[in-house]
Amino acid sequence: MNLRSVLLLCLSLTVFSTAARGDGSSGKVTAEDGSPIVGAMVTFRFGSPFQERTVFSGEDGGYVVSGLPDNSDFLVRVRRIGWADIRSPQSPGDGTPLDFTMTRLTDPAEVAAQLPANHWYGLVLEQVESDFEKEQIVRQCTFCHQQGNPATRLQRSPEEWHKILSLMARMGAGLDEEIRNKVPELFNSAYDPENAIPKLTKGFDKPGFAPPPDAEVRRAVIDEFEMGGRSSMQHDMIMHPNGFAYSVDMSTDTLFRLDPSVPSGERELYPIPSSNNPLGGEGASGALPSNTDMRVGPHSLQVDQDGDVWITLAVGNQLARFDIDEKSFTLEDLPGGIFPHTLRVDDKGRVWYTITVSNHVGMYDPKSGQHEIIRIPARNLGEEVLLRMLPALMWLGQTFELDMGGGGEGSGLPMPYGIDFAPDGGVWFSQLNADRIGRIDPETFELKMIDTPFSAPRRMRFDSRGKMWIPGFSSNLISKFDPETGKFENYELPVEPLGTETPYSVNVDPATDDVWVCGTNSDTLIRYQQDIDKFTIFPLPTRVTYTRDIDFGADGSVWTSNSNAPAWQIETGVPRVIRLDVDGDTDLPMVSANP
Amino acid sequence: MKDIRRVFSLMALFLISGCDLVDPAGQTGPVQEEAGILGDQLRSAPTAEGEQLTIQLAFAADVDLDLYVTGPLLETVYFANHESKSGGKISDDVRCDSEESGTRTEKVIYLNPMKGRYRIGVDFPHRCSGESGPAPFAVLVERPGEDLQKEGSVKLERFEVAVLEFEL
């Protein structure tokens, strides 16, 4: 803790014992018998579109929140697993402490309902004996929305399940027929309240149940900024060196800019030209989400050396460059391939991007206009042939009626997915579904493939020491890969219940080399400090917080977005861009420190 | 076939989807005629009362079509999300194994509809029997003031997410 944080902490403590400051609030969270509630999340919502600022109560139940706007009304929510949520509208504060008394829940069903989705999904997974089947239902069912959240953990008739599975299959979540046939019984028995509730609330009356986060986590301040409309899918967001956050909404083809230094955040939005594409883009069959307005599908974004923002337009099959001063877009058609996905800009200003559906990696040099499309090997000849026939087959599918039986093959074709540069300039990518990573020489385009000793390598990143960190989406781990020795070291994620996490992405804090992991199915962000070999789990306040990428602010803050699709499954139904200030130490006016 | 299937699941994986225009202008033929008959049947038996908003989908017994209604809060009521926060409720899912013979209907009702934009989608997940080809459908929107209707057709395994959109 630096001197400034110590001073802030002292200040906050003094303030706490007297009254709240003009720009903040403080108080105490206690149980009905007066005992302190430790680790309660106290959330202040203000502004429209809103910002929600959350702090945790400390050892004595006290909390302090700073950096709130002066003349605003607030909606305060106090939340701790095992107690009933408190929701309390507040007028602008006069400095009087805001204390809350929470009521202990007695109905186990209500307690179970407070647990993150992964607890519920664990009940499904524990019944699946075959690793192959488990692999499929994790990998195929959790890449758009959580499993085990309130909308997905309902018991349904077998007929309804089958129709859901056939819809999901057309959206891309193919399960093998044998597994599909098991799903209704599997999910219904796991989610049967008679089974689920006693298991999920076992030990509720004992202190070890849903323990409060430790003191280090309780210092964190979490800000959530409402972003876009209620159908938005804020797929990825980045922090620009200019201090703004940029976020792309795949559902409405919009780039958003957020100025987080203004209370409740100031937003600008820039519609991306969609050149009269049909809904879903120029594509093939399948099913779109019912509330989508996607015509180009902005997916991922990165900043180049000039400060411009590059965006992959996944269903528009284009790259877009956004001039942040002119606030205008330039579009570049892909010369080949289908579905540009994740991108990085190298030192020479060249844009490298994975092209998932057609199994390519692309490179575009805006200075020379050069395009390269590099074909990534498939696993076998059959896949290779199939991938080459893809455009023709897609045309066929649009033109003729082919009854696919609503099915799909769960194993899936290989897809280049994450991408990043090694310190030596090598271009590395992961190949999802094929359990491989690869390296492309940036000058000769020579290609090398390496098998991963775990399944579903998703969005990977290098640390400053030249090691690559890879999340195993369906293997509940992160792995450290050393390109020099070719060795992998796996680290299992300690999210409880063990084995239920689906880490979509990692990023490495450039200042500390800490590895941050999306706790995609557990409403968390997870930090791994490699130097002390320690995991720390930061719970996020909104239920159904589904995250796909992480970025860092210049002040060390950790950023992500909630892109659960459909958004209506998100608690309150509102997508958000999220900032985690790990030690409550961000620059004024956004300061806070907790006792 | 297995491989073709893989391609299809893969294409869909990324939500690439072509939504052919429903019932392109000028198109006529047996499918359109059948859709017209379905529309007449819906109109002949109005169901909405008072201030409520009712949306009905009619289709023939040899297909399974599904009605999707997205309300102003952009939440969709359909066979897997029976009720939305903005108050929409869907009737029981009518499937190939349903008892009714003849024309089949699915209905969404909003008793106190919110103002705002509504979108109606129609999906054709399964053919129950009969010949291949697009399935005719009719949609009727009964709302305070004037009713709306739409007749068209949808291809097998195509989800037309926006066959009709309107403001309330």
Side-chain angles (χ1 to χ4, degrees), chain B residues 102-114:
Chain B
T103 300
R104 297 171 158 203
T105 53
E106 288 187 4
K107 188 193 312 193
V108 168
I109 299 181
Y110 293 81
L111 286 179
N112 298 297
M114 281 178 73

Side-chain angles (χ1 to χ4, degrees), chain A residues 184-244:
Chain A
E185 164 62 21
L186 178 64
F187 281 55
N188 282 345
S189 60
Y191 295 150
D192 179 352
E194 306 245 315
N195 171 59
I197 291 164
K199 278 190 187 159
L200 292 171
T201 56
K202 191 163 172 235
F204 174 50
D205 44 356
K206 309 211 171 60
F209 183 85
D214 64 25
E216 195 184 3
V217 174
R218 296 196 307 259
R219 282 166 50 207
V221 177
I222 300 159
D223 286 297
E224 295 173 82
F225 298 89
E226 173 178 4
M227 196 59 72
R230 282 172 172 263
S231 66
S232 283
M233 184 199 193
Q234 304 288 337
H235 196 289
D236 287 359
M237 63 80 53
I238 50 162
M239 283 309 292
H240 196 285
N242 65 12
F244 295 129

Side-chain angles (χ1 to χ4, degrees), chain A residues 219-279:
Chain A
R219 282 166 50 207
V221 177
I222 300 159
D223 286 297
E224 295 173 82
F225 298 89
E226 173 178 4
M227 196 59 72
R230 282 172 172 263
S231 66
S232 283
M233 184 199 193
Q234 304 288 337
H235 196 289
D236 287 359
M237 63 80 53
I238 50 162
M239 283 309 292
H240 196 285
N242 65 12
F244 295 129
Y246 287 86
S247 172
V248 276
D249 177 0
M250 213 174 166
S251 179
T252 66
D253 293 337
T254 308
L255 171 70
F256 286 86
R257 192 189 78 177
L258 171 77
D259 180 354
S261 70
V262 177
S264 93
E266 194 173 76
R267 293 155 187 80
E268 277 189 14
L269 58 94
Y270 317 107
I272 301 172
S274 61
S275 46
N276 300 324
N277 281 0
L279 272 179

Side-chain angles (χ1 to χ4, degrees), chain A residues 523-557:
Chain A
D523 305 340
T524 62
L525 283 173
I526 305 161
R527 181 182 63 191
Y528 178 65
Q529 291 166 291
Q530 32 174 330
D531 291 339
I532 53 172
D533 186 24
K534 186 182 172 199
F535 277 104
T536 311
I537 299 173
F538 294 82
L540 300 173
T542 299
R543 292 191 190 121
V544 195
T545 296
Y546 185 102
T547 56
R548 301 173 200 254
D549 212 357
I550 293 172
D551 204 7
F552 304 99
D555 54 10
S557 51

Side-chain angles (χ1 to χ4, degrees), chain A residues 434-448:
Chain A
D435 301 344
R436 295 196 294 202
I437 52 173
R439 179 187 191 274
I440 298 171
D441 184 289
E443 305 310 327
T444 64
F445 306 116
E446 194 187 322
L447 184 72
K448 175 171 86 177

Side-chain angles (χ1 to χ4, degrees), chain A residues 163 170-171 284 293 394 397, chain B residues 11-12 18 66 76 119 123 158:
Chain A
K163 281 189 69 167
R170 281 184 290 137
M171 288 189 179
D293 286 307
M394 288 170 81
Chain B
M11 291 180 314
D66 287 315
T76 308
R119 169 190 274 189
D123 189 19
R158 296 292 168 87

Side-chain angles (χ1 to χ4, degrees), chain A residues 79-85 87 103-116 120 150 153 193 196-198 200-201 204 209 543:
Chain A
R79 162 168 287 181
R80 171 86 178 88
I81 290 173
W83 278 268
D85 274 3
R87 283 192 173 72
T103 309
R104 184 84 173 152
L105 292 177
T106 51
D107 178 358
E110 287 183 56
V111 179
Q114 296 180 325
L115 297 170
W120 290 81
R153 65 177 181 240
I197 291 164
L200 292 171
T201 56
F204 174 50
F209 183 85
R543 292 191 190 121

Side-chain angles (χ1 to χ4, degrees), chain A residues 309-369:
Chain A
V309 177
W310 285 87
I311 307 169
T312 43
L313 303 182
V315 306
N317 243 26
Q318 289 165 311
L319 299 172
R321 176 196 213 144
F322 179 70
D323 182 320
I324 58 163
D325 301 319
E326 300 287 324
K327 300 183 179 171
S328 64
F329 292 93
T330 316
L331 302 182
E332 178 71 18
D333 288 339
L334 256 57
I338 305 165
F339 210 92
H341 191 273
T342 303
L343 75 167
R344 298 279 181 270
V345 186
D346 72 12
D347 292 345
K348 296 181 173 163
R350 300 181 298 180
V351 183
W352 293 82
Y353 54 100
T354 51
I355 315 179
T356 39
V357 171
S358 57
N359 197 30
H360 292 103
V361 169
M363 188 284 290
Y364 172 57
D365 183 348
K367 290 195 194 100
S368 66

